[in-house]
Amino acid sequence: MIEYKKLSNNFQYIEVKNSKAKAKIALQGAHIFEYTRSDEEPILWISEASNFKYGESIRGGIPICWPWFGLAKDKNLPQHGFVRIFIWEFHNTSEIDKNTTEIILKLKHSKQSLKLWSYKFELELKILISDNLTLMLKTKNLNDKPFTITQALHSYFNISHISEVSIKGFDKKPYLDALTMKQKKQNGDIIFNKEVDRVYQEVNDEISLKDKNRVISIKNIGSSSVVVWNPWIDKCKRMSAMNDDSYKTMVCIETANAFDDKRVLKPNQSHTLEAVIF
Ligand code: TA6
């Protein structure tokens, strides 16, 4: 089942249900903000304080950070790019079989985007909803000169409690600690007892998020950098659209092309960043 829905403020999204899972995807930002497998707790975290309104990114789910991840050089430009608050087009929806639904959204450069970033582009996000969730974000350069992007599928995962989780797949990996801007090396699994904001590099193994009663795995393609973030107590209080205790039930593991994993695309060249969550 695929249903087109609208909130009273005209905020549009589609709701998908098949025999394996259900999902909700907003037109703003091509933002998936629910993915729940049958008989399971939601996989994606969504803030109880999140607003669903145009011009504000949803806090939770999987925001798309593009064409830059993090702060822009020009401080007047928004953090994490602009496409998470742009309205995408539902290009195609299809029920492939009773277990799998495919949704394709597209966004092209416009007068509005060219004011923020002076390149012509085409973005396509393909989402496959089944007992796995797959996101494929394809960037195509439509200019006659190259451009450079950094980007992320900024996935917020729903967890039982931050003290219960550990993340495997980063042992011995170098990372940039975004809190100190120092290069460090991971030793063992990641656990959380303070604010964590890191760009892991040279990541090519499967990642697993181990929680009390389940393990969520993530496989990344077209990426060698992964951002891991939990705001912890103080930053959580300062974050927009988050409650003071939100940090307890979420962790971000973001499939990225960030920091030195930036990508340069020549005219007509494409690059696909893909995450499979299972
Ligand atoms: O990916 C981690 C991060 O860059 C953090 O530094 C943090 O502030 C977060 O993303 C959320 O950013 P946002 O712009 O959505 O408030």
Side-chain angles (χ1 to χ4, degrees), residues 59 69-70 79-80 84 154 156 197 227 229 235 239-240 254:
R59 177 69 69 199
F69 175 82
Q79 157 149 290
H80 294 330
R84 61 180 175 163
H154 195 302
Y156 287 77
D197 193 345
V227 180
W229 178 58
K235 185 163 182 186
M239 293 295 302
S240 62
E254 307 163 33

Side-chain angles (χ1 to χ4, degrees), residues 8-75:
S8 56
N9 62 359
N10 207 28
F11 191 89
Q12 290 178 56
Y13 64 98
I14 49 175
E15 202 170 323
V16 170
K17 277 188 194 140
N18 58 39
S19 66
K20 296 290 179 191
K22 57 182 182 175
K24 289 182 185 153
I25 300 144
L27 210 56
Q28 174 175 265
H31 194 142
I32 178 161
F33 60 97
E34 181 181 344
Y35 169 63
T36 308
R37 292 194 286 233
S38 309
D39 308 319
E40 260 192 52
E41 291 293 306
I43 298 274
L44 301 176
W45 180 84
I46 181 84
S47 173
E48 286 167 7
S50 184
N51 292 315
F52 291 86
K53 64 177 189 195
Y54 290 128
E56 254 179 56
S57 180
I58 299 169
R59 177 69 69 199
I62 311 186
I64 294 179
C65 306
W66 190 98
W68 59 84
F69 175 82
L71 295 172
K73 278 189 202 107
D74 177 347
K75 296 287 165 278

Side-chain angles (χ1 to χ4, degrees), residues 66 106-109 117 119-125 137-143 145-147 149 151 264-273:
W66 190 98
K106 287 193 177 188
L107 182 73
K108 264 187 108 164
H109 60 87
W117 195 61
Y119 296 97
K120 295 181 182 160
F121 63 88
E122 185 175 69
L123 274 182
E124 179 190 281
L125 180 71
L137 178 64
K138 182 172 157 194
T139 303
K140 187 168 184 192
N141 182 351
L142 301 183
N143 303 272
K145 56 183 179 195
F147 65 53
I149 51 166
Q151 57 179 341
V264 181
L265 298 191
K266 295 191 189 117
N268 268 314
Q269 206 183 355
S270 301
H271 169 67
T272 301
L273 175 66

Side-chain angles (χ1 to χ4, degrees), residues 49-271:
S50 184
N51 292 315
F52 291 86
K53 64 177 189 195
Y54 290 128
E56 254 179 56
S57 180
I58 299 169
R59 177 69 69 199
I62 311 186
I64 294 179
C65 306
W66 190 98
W68 59 84
F69 175 82
L71 295 172
K73 278 189 202 107
D74 177 347
K75 296 287 165 278
N76 296 314
L77 292 173
Q79 157 149 290
H80 294 330
F82 52 86
V83 301
R84 61 180 175 163
I85 54 161
F86 270 45
I87 307 299
W88 293 50
E89 170 212 347
F90 280 129
H91 181 71
N92 196 33
T93 54
S94 66
E95 289 175 317
I96 292 178
D97 57 40
K98 70 178 181 15
N99 302 327
T100 313
T101 310
E102 181 187 86
I103 309 289
I104 299 177
L105 298 106
K106 287 193 177 188
L107 182 73
K108 264 187 108 164
H109 60 87
S110 59
K111 253 194 202 161
Q112 202 191 353
S113 77
L114 289 165
K115 278 187 204 152
L116 299 164
W117 195 61
S118 63
Y119 296 97
K120 295 181 182 160
F121 63 88
E122 185 175 69
L123 274 182
E124 179 190 281
L125 180 71
K126 189 189 279 187
I127 307 177
L128 288 168
I129 297 140
S130 188
D131 46 2
N132 297 345
L133 173 67
T134 302
L135 270 76
M136 285 176 247
L137 178 64
K138 182 172 157 194
T139 303
K140 187 168 184 192
N141 182 351
L142 301 183
N143 303 272
D144 49 17
K145 56 183 179 195
F147 65 53
T148 303
I149 51 166
T150 52
Q151 57 179 341
L153 303 168
H154 195 302
S155 314
Y156 287 77
F157 290 97
N158 180 35
I159 52 174
S160 63
H161 195 281
I162 193 68
S163 61
E164 295 281 351
V165 301
S166 60
I167 309 176
K168 266 194 192 335
F170 297 102
D171 189 25
K172 313 264 177 334
K173 300 292 180 196
Y175 69 85
L176 173 76
D177 187 335
L179 302 173
T180 57
M181 292 314 273
K182 292 212 166 92
Q183 271 296 129
K184 295 183 182 161
K185 196 178 208 181
Q186 179 66 30
N187 189 5
D189 296 345
I190 305 173
I191 52 159
F192 298 86
N193 47 28
K194 58 180 178 187
E195 184 180 351
V196 166
D197 193 345
R198 302 173 183 165
V199 185
Y200 283 88
Q201 299 140 20
E202 300 168 22
V203 185
N204 28 44
D205 304 332
E206 209 168 277
I207 297 160
S208 40
L209 168 61
K210 206 168 160 288
D211 199 350
K212 202 165 145 197
N213 293 319
R214 73 172 168 193
V215 178
I216 298 170
S217 302
I218 307 153
K219 190 168 163 0
N220 296 327
I221 300 153
S223 149
S224 65
S225 52
V226 174
V227 180
V228 176
W229 178 58
N230 180 284
W232 208 247
I233 301 164
D234 292 339
K235 185 163 182 186
C236 197
K237 290 186 184 145
R238 300 193 303 271
M239 293 295 302
S240 62
M242 272 187 154
N243 289 332
D244 287 359
D245 61 354
S246 288
Y247 76 96
K248 292 180 183 167
T249 53
M250 54 72 56
V251 66
C252 286
I253 306 174
E254 307 163 33
T255 303
N257 292 127
F259 189 45
D260 56 0
D261 185 27
K262 58 181 174 290
R263 302 293 162 128
V264 181
L265 298 191
K266 295 191 189 117
N268 268 314
Q269 206 183 355
S270 301
H271 169 67

